[in-house]
Amino acid sequence: MKLTRRTALLGTGLTTILSRAGRAEKKYGPGVTDTEIKIGQTMPYSGNASAYGVAGRNQAAYFRMLNETQGGINGRKINLISLDDGYSPPKTVELARQLVERDQVFCLFYPLGTQTNTAIHKYMNQKKVPQLFVATGASKWGNPKQFPWTMGWQPDYHTEGAIYGRHLAANHPSPKIGILRQNDDMGNDYMDGFHEGLSEKMKKFIVADVTYEVTDPTVDSQILQLRNAGVDVFFNVTTPKFAAQAIKKIAEIGWKPVHYLVGVAASVGAVMRPAGVENGQGILTAQYLKDVTDPRWDDFPDVREWRAFMAKWNPNANVLEGSNASSYSAVVGFAHVLKQCGDELTRENLMRQASSLKDLEVPLMLPGVKVNTSPTDFYPLQSLQMAKFEGDHWVLFGDMMSLDKA
Amino acid sequence: MAAITNSWATRGGLGWIAILFWTLLAALPLGGLFTSDPSFDYYMFMGQAMLINAIAILGLNFLIGFNGQISLGHSAFFAVGAYTAAILMNFAGWPYWATIPVAAVVCFGTGFLFGFPALKLEGHYLALATFTLAIAVPQLLKYKLIAPWTGGVGGLILDKPDPPEMLRLSPDQYLYYLCLILAMLSFWVVRNMLRGRSGRAMMAIRDHAMAAGPMGIDTAKYKTLTFGVSAGITGIAGALSAITVAYVAPDSFTLQLAVSFLVGLVVGGIASLPGCLIGGAFIVLIQNSSQSISDWMKVTFSLRYDVPAWAIYGVLLILLMYFMPRGIMGGIETLWLKLTHRKETQA
């Protein structure tokens, strides 16, 4: 204990000296100088989830663009250290410690993965280092009382599930609900939210709840199981590959349930096209981002700007991959928070700024979706709009729906 | 398998090098007294990871190097050890130190039982059978019936142990010593087993199983027992990993972990005890340094694209195997023999 206390003392001593050396209004935490802000990140560039690695590359490209065209943020260049954790939790722990203790980064931004972030959740909060805008939809990241240094970004699965539940309860008085879900945290979060949205008295209408494993080859037998149970409202909690299989199989057997498909799997390029657009007509989902593959959005300034950015700074990326759009809006949101910090670049101020966003509009969000946080609300995005698949794209309908947790 | 030489594992006379080496390892945390580098605790954490890998590789080496049974599934035993420790700490409220022997015993049992069907399989077939273990265990951990205990996909979050107040150590220094003591213990046990009758029997089976039988060696007994001990040692490493990382999840124990043990084993040197330590350090260092080399290449040669870190890892491995086909310990030994031989002829 002696050592840590000593290092802690030394650390505070140094910061005082540093802050005194600078001009009075400047206050810097670790990783910040007059010319640079050092940011850390863990990403699965290799391993099972390496497809998500595009997010880290895209954000590195964005900071490169900021550094080269605008001289960084408030005159400080952004130095993003993005490391490969291969989606393995122990490796994430090692890398987070490397970033925090050896490289002395200011904060972690957009570390990706639910289990990997869980592994460092406690550590980051003990060290009081911001774990900001984590790239996972689990609902546990918005808990400022216990974990004041961790914040999510995207609408969490719980919120989204609740919105489907509500929509279903409002439109189908006595349904026979069947659920297909992935046997993991994502599936469970969606389910909890769905139950909440359905409300207590509607829960009895769930007649079948079947699961599959990420490693299963197909979900064909689960689909048959659901149809045989007499299901007429189908809640599809799957990842892209399985969603496409399910949509195809449902059409094949001539089954026509009301079909809710989770946002994770509502990609036109990765799911609806491979499954056959004619099979997907009428499927319902909820969205918060503009579908950049849809030509309807082409004339919006933010989409144009994004396309220009991708063409110039990240030309090798595939613009059809959803991560390139979602990671872009997150990094723009983060850059905004850094700018708000001004010259008071301390970890405390970073969290203060991140938790006082009011109606912030970031690029590529649907019209009306705004970022809102407060010291008690650590869920930046909580609004979604229902959409229906018609022709070859999603058509939005109804109002923006949200679930207030704070 | 007959090509394996036993290296220094069974030879006497070099004990002082080992003692010196372990003393050096034990002295490392004292560096904290002379440095105020805030990343010192991080290096201690790296040291823990290296020691844990070394113990796991020791378990694997016991099986492959000294008994000739190939396993691609040691990540499974590592996982069983980790989960045994995690479940006992989380649900039964056991202190962390008490879970380690239990993890060893549970893994010994699992390994021993797996050893029976493994008897029917030799060489590549056994490798494939163990391969299924590595694939199956992360899946089984998510199985609904046991999910309440394993935490399912989400895994279990543990409390990192605090060092006793009187020792005046930081938590990372303390855990380093915990890993070091268990590593020393494991190496000592293995060394003594190898030097005795059972060690000779194990190696006889490796070198010529058919000849070992008529010599009076109960091959079935020795093979299953070796499998059990090997799994038990790897289980200790698993328990330590759960304690030091303070989190277990199925994603932590993928096939890649099993392969990295094997890489560490081959790089360090098959059938070499010091090789296990080298291999353990290697698999921690190489991944980090290949990332740094990749960054360095990108900056130095101002490349437009990233050089994939794993490609560099591959190239480094190929180079190593080309220049030191018997692993680092094998290479050192060859060099040593050359040097001493030259001296002798000169004299």
Side-chain angles (χ1 to χ4, degrees):
Chain A
M1 285 318 280
K2 187 180 166 194
L3 231 151
T4 42
R5 217 177 288 148
R6 193 199 295 165
T7 19
L9 274 174
L10 206 91
T12 30
L14 269 178
T15 5
T16 354
I17 293 166
L18 274 179
S19 54
R20 272 185 201 165
R23 265 181 292 150
E25 69 269 29
K26 279 186 191 170
K27 256 169 115 183
Y28 295 156
V32 184
T33 64
D34 276 342
T35 53
E36 188 192 74
I37 305 175
K38 219 192 271 181
I39 310 282
Q41 183 176 65
T42 57
M43 270 283 149
Y45 291 115
S46 65
N48 293 337
S50 57
Y52 293 125
V54 293
R57 283 192 204 100
N58 197 37
Q59 294 178 337
Y62 183 80
F63 288 133
R64 203 159 57 238
M65 188 267 286
L66 276 188
N67 290 345
E68 286 177 24
T69 61
Q70 306 171 17
I73 295 172
N74 290 340
R76 291 178 195 89
K77 299 224 155 138
I78 306 297
N79 175 8
L80 177 74
I81 308 177
S82 183
L83 301 175
D84 177 21
D85 65 6
Y87 218 50
S88 156
K91 190 79 193 160
T92 316
V93 174
E94 188 194 314
L95 294 178
R97 295 199 57 168
Q98 181 191 324
L99 288 166
V100 170
E101 293 169 43
R102 197 187 74 185
D103 300 337
Q104 298 274 315
V105 295
F106 184 47
C107 67
L108 287 200
F109 162 64
Y110 214 67
L112 196 144
T114 302
Q115 290 189 38
T116 47
N117 271 298
T118 306
I120 58 173
H121 203 189
K122 222 185 222 173
Y123 169 76
M124 297 300 289
N125 281 275
Q126 269 167 0
K127 284 267 168 190
K128 301 187 174 26
V129 181
Q131 183 186 11
L132 204 57
F133 299 158
V134 296
T136 125
S139 58
K140 61 179 151 192
W141 311 119
N143 183 2
K145 256 193 204 125
Q146 247 186 306
F147 297 102
W149 299 91
T150 306
M151 194 187 282
W153 174 253
Q154 68 205 73
D156 63 302
Y157 305 139
H158 185 99
T159 304
E160 192 188 331
I163 282 169
Y164 297 125
R166 267 197 216 164
H167 185 265
L168 197 161
N171 292 288
H172 304 277
S174 65
K176 279 187 164 175
I177 305 168
I179 299 159
L180 170 67
R181 64 187 162 107
Q182 190 160 304
N183 182 21
D184 63 7
D185 263 9
M186 179 197 84
N188 294 341
D189 264 353
Y190 268 122
M191 271 301 283
D192 292 343
F194 187 63
H195 280 173
E196 194 186 307
L198 268 183
S199 80
E200 209 54 45
K201 64 176 184 357
M202 290 286 286
K203 263 194 223 168
K204 62 171 187 284
F205 293 117
I206 299 176
V207 294
D209 175 10
V210 293
T211 62
Y212 72 93
E213 293 291 337
V214 195
T215 43
D216 285 353
T218 76
V219 289
D220 287 0
S221 64
Q222 282 91 331
I223 294 294
L224 291 174
Q225 209 180 324
L226 287 166
R227 187 195 55 178
N228 295 342
V231 167
D232 59 10
V233 178
F234 173 43
F235 184 33
N236 189 351
V237 189
T238 53
T239 42
K241 176 182 136 195
F242 300 101
Q245 285 176 353
I247 294 167
K248 221 175 194 166
K249 185 74 186 171
I250 286 174
E252 243 172 63
I253 59 175
W255 182 31
K256 291 199 166 49
V258 176
H259 191 155
Y260 289 88
L261 177 66
V262 293
V264 179
S267 154
V268 176
V271 177
M272 303 313 280
R273 278 200 204 132
V277 283
E278 68 284 356
N279 299 332
Q281 298 302 312
I283 291 182
L284 301 165
T285 190
Q287 298 185 321
Y288 73 101
L289 279 172
K290 292 190 181 107
D291 179 358
V292 289
T293 60
D294 187 344
R296 186 164 39 125
W297 301 115
D298 279 356
D299 284 336
F300 281 69
D302 56 339
V303 176
R304 265 200 208 147
E305 202 174 303
W306 173 75
R307 279 193 200 285
F309 160 77
M310 293 301 288
K312 174 131 197 261
W313 297 94
N314 198 2
N316 303 311
N318 175 7
V319 285
L320 292 180
E321 272 178 282
S323 299
N324 280 319
S326 50
S327 64
Y328 179 79
S329 32
V331 77
V332 174
F334 178 66
H336 172 86
V337 174
L338 279 181
K339 203 174 271 171
Q340 288 293 306
C341 288
D343 282 340
E344 195 189 340
L345 282 156
T346 59
R347 289 170 171 168
E348 291 78 11
N349 192 34
L350 181 70
M351 287 318 285
R352 209 160 36 235
Q353 298 301 333
S355 59
S356 56
L357 298 169
K358 287 279 158 298
D359 290 335
L360 172 69
E361 288 187 40
V362 281
L364 305 184
M365 299 283 154
L366 288 178
V369 175
K370 283 166 187 152
V371 181
N372 274 302
T373 54
S374 77
T376 51
D377 173 16
F378 269 31
Y379 293 101
L381 290 161
Q382 267 181 301
S383 317
L384 293 138
Q385 194 173 3
M386 293 296 296
K388 190 182 232 174
F389 199 68
E390 281 175 13
D392 62 354
H393 58 264
W394 296 102
V395 177
L396 295 162
F397 68 92
D399 294 330
M400 197 53 73
M401 295 170 88
S402 56
L403 184 78
D404 275 324
K405 274 222 187 93
Chain B
M1 280 288 130
I4 295 175
T5 44
N6 285 328
S7 192
W8 290 333
T10 50
R11 227 170 296 158
L14 285 159
W16 59 271
I17 292 189
I19 291 170
L20 203 73
F21 187 67
W22 287 111
T23 318
L24 193 73
L25 286 185
L28 280 182
L30 302 180
L33 296 175
F34 306 106
T35 171
S36 51
D37 186 354
S39 48
F40 187 74
D41 271 340
Y42 163 70
Y43 292 120
M44 283 288 101
F45 180 73
M46 298 275 281
Q48 294 159 24
M50 290 178 193
L51 286 168
I52 289 168
N53 280 319
I55 300 174
I57 292 170
L58 176 72
L60 193 61
N61 212 344
F62 193 68
L63 187 71
I64 298 183
F66 298 101
N67 197 220
Q69 306 192 69
I70 298 177
S71 166
L72 276 172
H74 263 50
S75 63
F77 300 116
F78 194 81
V80 171
Y83 269 91
T84 307
I87 290 169
L88 286 174
M89 280 163 75
N90 208 27
F91 293 100
W94 283 37
Y96 64 94
W97 48 266
T99 64
I100 297 169
V102 181
V105 170
V106 168
C107 287
F108 173 82
T110 321
F112 184 68
L113 290 177
F114 190 82
F116 282 103
L119 283 175
K120 303 266 177 207
L121 304 165
E122 299 256 337
H124 309 100
Y125 303 100
L126 178 61
L128 266 184
T130 51
F131 178 76
T132 58
L133 260 186
I135 299 278
V137 162
Q139 293 301 313
L140 288 175
L141 290 170
K142 299 178 203 166
Y143 189 59
K144 253 182 255 164
L145 285 180
I146 57 165
W149 288 283
T150 62
V153 190
L156 295 172
I157 303 167
L158 308 169
D159 286 321
K160 218 168 187 168
D162 283 320
E165 200 63 42
M166 57 171 191
L167 287 179
R168 297 175 153 251
L169 293 171
S170 78
D172 282 301
Q173 284 172 314
Y174 177 66
L175 286 174
Y176 175 86
Y177 278 121
L178 182 74
C179 293
L180 186 70
I181 288 166
L182 281 160
M184 287 168 92
L185 213 64
S186 310
F187 275 86
W188 180 71
V189 167
V190 166
R191 178 175 159 278
N192 281 358
M193 279 172 93
L194 290 175
R195 285 193 166 186
R197 207 171 61 157
S198 45
R200 286 195 295 278
M202 279 166 55
M203 287 179 260
I205 293 169
R206 172 195 69 192
D207 293 338
H208 205 302
M210 206 182 277
M215 281 166 67
I217 296 169
D218 185 345
T219 52
K221 187 180 98 182
Y222 274 107
K223 275 180 144 183
T224 46
L225 275 177
T226 310
F227 218 109
V229 172
S230 161
I233 294 170
T234 306
I236 294 177
L240 282 173
S241 121
I243 293 165
T244 55
V245 173
Y247 179 63
V248 288
D251 273 356
S252 312
F253 311 103
T254 52
L255 183 66
Q256 200 168 13
L257 182 70
V259 175
S260 75
F261 290 156
L262 210 60
V263 168
L265 169 63
V266 175
V267 164
I270 292 178
S272 155
L273 294 187
C276 299
L277 281 164
I278 295 175
F282 177 84
I283 55 182
V284 174
L285 289 177
I286 188 70
Q287 287 177 12
N288 296 356
S289 43
S290 46
Q291 175 81 42
S292 328
I293 293 175
S294 153
D295 295 342
W296 174 80
M297 281 173 78
K298 196 175 176 192
V299 176
T300 322
F301 306 117
S302 48
L303 302 174
R304 271 191 65 202
Y305 306 103
D306 283 326
V307 187
W310 284 96
I312 292 170
Y313 176 85
V315 171
L316 287 177
L317 260 173
I318 292 169
L319 284 179
L320 197 80
M321 283 296 106
Y322 185 75
F323 289 110
M324 296 186 192
R326 282 170 56 221
I328 293 176
M329 259 335 268
I332 293 175
E333 204 174 335
T334 318
L335 205 68
W336 174 267
L337 284 178
K338 262 188 195 157
L339 289 174
T340 46
H341 182 69
R342 194 169 296 155
K343 266 183 206 151
E344 271 163 26
T345 44
Q346 275 166 356

